Amino acid sequence: MSSSSDEECNDYPRYRDRPEWKDVQPITQDDGEYPVVAIAYSDQYQDVYDYFRGIVVRQEKSERALQLCIDALTLNPANYTVWHYRRQILRHLNSDLMKEIEYISEVIGKHPKNYQVWHHRRVIVGWQGDGSLECPFTEEMLRADAKNYHAWQHRQWALSKFKMFDGELEFTERLLEDDVRNNSVWNHRFFVFSSAKEQFSNKIADREIDFVITKLRIALYNESVWNYARGILLHCDSDGPKAKLLKFCYDIYEKGDNGEHSIYLFMFLADNAVEDIENGCGDINTKTTFATKLYSELALKYDVIRASYWNFIIQDLHHRFPASFVK
């Protein structure tokens, strides 16, 4: 930690100058006789961590040790060792976990993409056995950054841990109203279904495909929506939802309007044709010709950067179904 840290204060009373800490022997960091890269720690940083090492060696678990941990984490909130030792102290003192939740909320507010602070919150909430604050808290964090991976991960943990899935689909719908292209929201919506399997049914799959179609009308070129649709169809044993989505896709494709250049629409139609060939559905020659046409257009016009991939797909199709392949 360099002396330029925003958290450091020149008039901060050093632990070595505090009479109440005279009983603790500070321990200097040992980087060996010939450190490869000697970090230019500030005087305050060295002071705090020298005393932190001192209390760890003597295994002191006290209120003043908790405060020392706060000082150490203010200087470096990513220090896992300090968080781990702080949890040991909290357990030993049987501390008020709500106060700790308030503290960690403040820290996360300042460092929302720090893995260690989110892990600490997860452990504390698990000890507390109450996840009622986690959805409101993560929603607040996601308002600041709707793609914060750590906030989404924590929310999904809390939902699974405390079985709090009610209203979660509505939550995703609100976020998709703000940004239909937010892949994190689509991933979370699918997580809700895959985690609460008792809620999944063909009726729900049909409803979700209707939902997907409304979003595709807004963002036909957004891969996240297409991936979500594919995931829903994989969990559905009814042909209705897939037929509905295919009709939507064919209508756009045949009109040749804004779907003409949607590589995801092309991919979906082509892959579906190949699936039909594999399953013996429909005329194989017609399906093969159609799939080849779409893959070729992707390679030559609409997804040229992956032309080699699409040409490989065509060759593979030719290899597997040589009799029906039409150049």
Side-chain angles (χ1 to χ4, degrees):
M1 178 67 66
S2 68
S3 59
S4 62
S5 172
D6 293 337
E7 301 291 351
E8 297 185 8
C9 179
N10 292 330
D11 59 358
Y12 185 85
R14 303 301 191 248
Y15 278 87
R16 61 176 175 263
D17 298 328
R18 301 183 194 184
E20 67 272 24
W21 282 88
K22 293 298 183 182
D23 60 312
V24 177
Q25 178 63 44
I27 300 176
T28 303
Q29 179 170 312
D30 184 4
D31 290 330
E33 186 176 358
Y34 303 105
V36 176
V37 180
I39 299 175
Y41 294 113
S42 69
D43 181 65
Q44 181 185 349
Y45 191 94
Q46 288 179 324
D47 178 72
V48 170
Y49 275 87
D50 285 354
Y51 276 83
F52 174 73
R53 283 184 284 270
I55 65 167
V56 171
V57 167
R58 59 189 275 171
Q59 284 295 289
E60 177 179 331
K61 297 180 175 67
S62 62
E63 290 294 339
R64 73 172 184 175
L66 277 179
Q67 182 56 51
L68 176 57
C69 286
I70 291 178
D71 291 340
L73 292 167
T74 299
L75 294 169
N76 182 8
N79 192 312
Y80 179 82
T81 302
V82 181
W83 285 114
H84 177 71
Y85 193 68
R86 182 173 177 82
R87 289 193 290 274
Q88 291 185 14
I89 300 172
L90 292 170
R91 276 283 180 132
H92 180 79
L93 298 179
N94 194 26
S95 300
D96 185 345
L97 295 182
M98 274 307 303
K99 288 185 178 179
E100 188 66 10
I101 291 293
E102 293 172 3
Y103 165 65
I104 194 61
S105 296
E106 293 179 3
V107 179
I108 290 176
K110 296 178 181 178
H111 308 279
K113 293 190 176 180
N114 181 320
Y115 169 78
Q116 284 80 4
V117 298
W118 284 103
H119 176 72
H120 183 71
R121 186 180 182 99
R122 175 184 292 197
V123 174
I124 299 303
V125 172
W127 287 354
Q128 194 178 36
D130 179 10
S132 60
L133 297 177
E134 303 318 289
C135 283
F137 178 72
T138 52
E139 184 170 359
E140 180 182 352
M141 292 296 102
L142 291 169
R143 275 196 293 269
D145 180 1
K147 296 185 179 182
N148 185 332
Y149 168 80
H150 302 284
W152 282 115
Q153 185 183 51
H154 185 79
R155 188 181 185 93
Q156 291 181 357
W157 167 80
L159 291 174
S160 300
K161 173 73 174 178
F162 300 104
K163 309 301 180 186
M164 303 185 299
F165 290 98
D166 290 346
E168 199 62 15
L169 290 179
E170 291 75 11
F171 170 69
T172 65
E173 288 169 13
R174 293 198 303 272
L175 291 185
L176 289 172
E177 284 293 322
D178 295 334
D179 181 7
V180 70
R181 295 169 176 81
N182 189 330
N183 59 299
S184 298
V185 183
W186 286 107
N187 174 74
H188 185 68
R189 190 174 178 90
F190 188 78
F191 164 81
V192 173
F193 280 119
S194 60
S195 299
K197 293 181 180 178
E198 69 278 6
Q199 299 180 16
F200 198 89
S201 66
N202 291 330
K203 181 179 179 181
I204 287 179
D206 192 65
R207 185 198 69 193
E208 286 304 295
I209 292 302
D210 285 338
F211 181 74
V212 162
I213 290 174
T214 64
K215 300 307 179 184
L216 285 175
R217 295 186 190 280
I218 302 171
L220 190 66
Y221 304 90
N222 178 22
E223 185 176 10
S224 300
V225 191
W226 291 100
N227 287 340
Y228 179 77
R230 287 175 182 268
I232 291 296
L233 294 178
L234 284 175
H235 283 71
C236 177
D237 55 14
S238 170
D239 294 333
K242 184 176 183 180
K244 185 180 296 186
L245 182 57
L246 282 171
K247 181 181 184 305
F248 168 79
C249 293
Y250 277 114
D251 286 346
I252 292 178
Y253 176 75
E254 290 171 0
K255 288 178 183 177
D257 50 19
N258 65 332
E260 185 178 356
H261 301 96
S262 173
I263 64 173
Y264 306 113
L265 183 142
F266 274 45
M267 289 165 58
F268 183 76
L269 289 177
D271 291 348
N272 178 74
V274 173
E275 289 176 12
D276 285 346
I277 296 169
E278 293 171 339
N279 295 326
C281 300
D283 182 75
I284 295 180
N285 288 332
T286 301
K287 296 285 185 180
T288 307
T289 301
F290 183 58
T292 302
K293 177 178 182 293
L294 292 175
Y295 289 138
S296 296
E297 290 183 343
L298 286 169
L300 297 173
K301 297 180 182 180
Y302 306 128
D303 195 23
V304 179
I305 195 170
R306 292 189 292 178
S308 296
Y309 170 75
W310 295 122
N311 288 327
F312 169 79
I313 294 297
I314 294 170
Q315 292 172 9
D316 180 65
L317 189 62
H318 187 190
H319 175 74
R320 289 192 292 155
F321 306 100
S324 60
F325 189 84
V326 178
K327 294 184 179 180

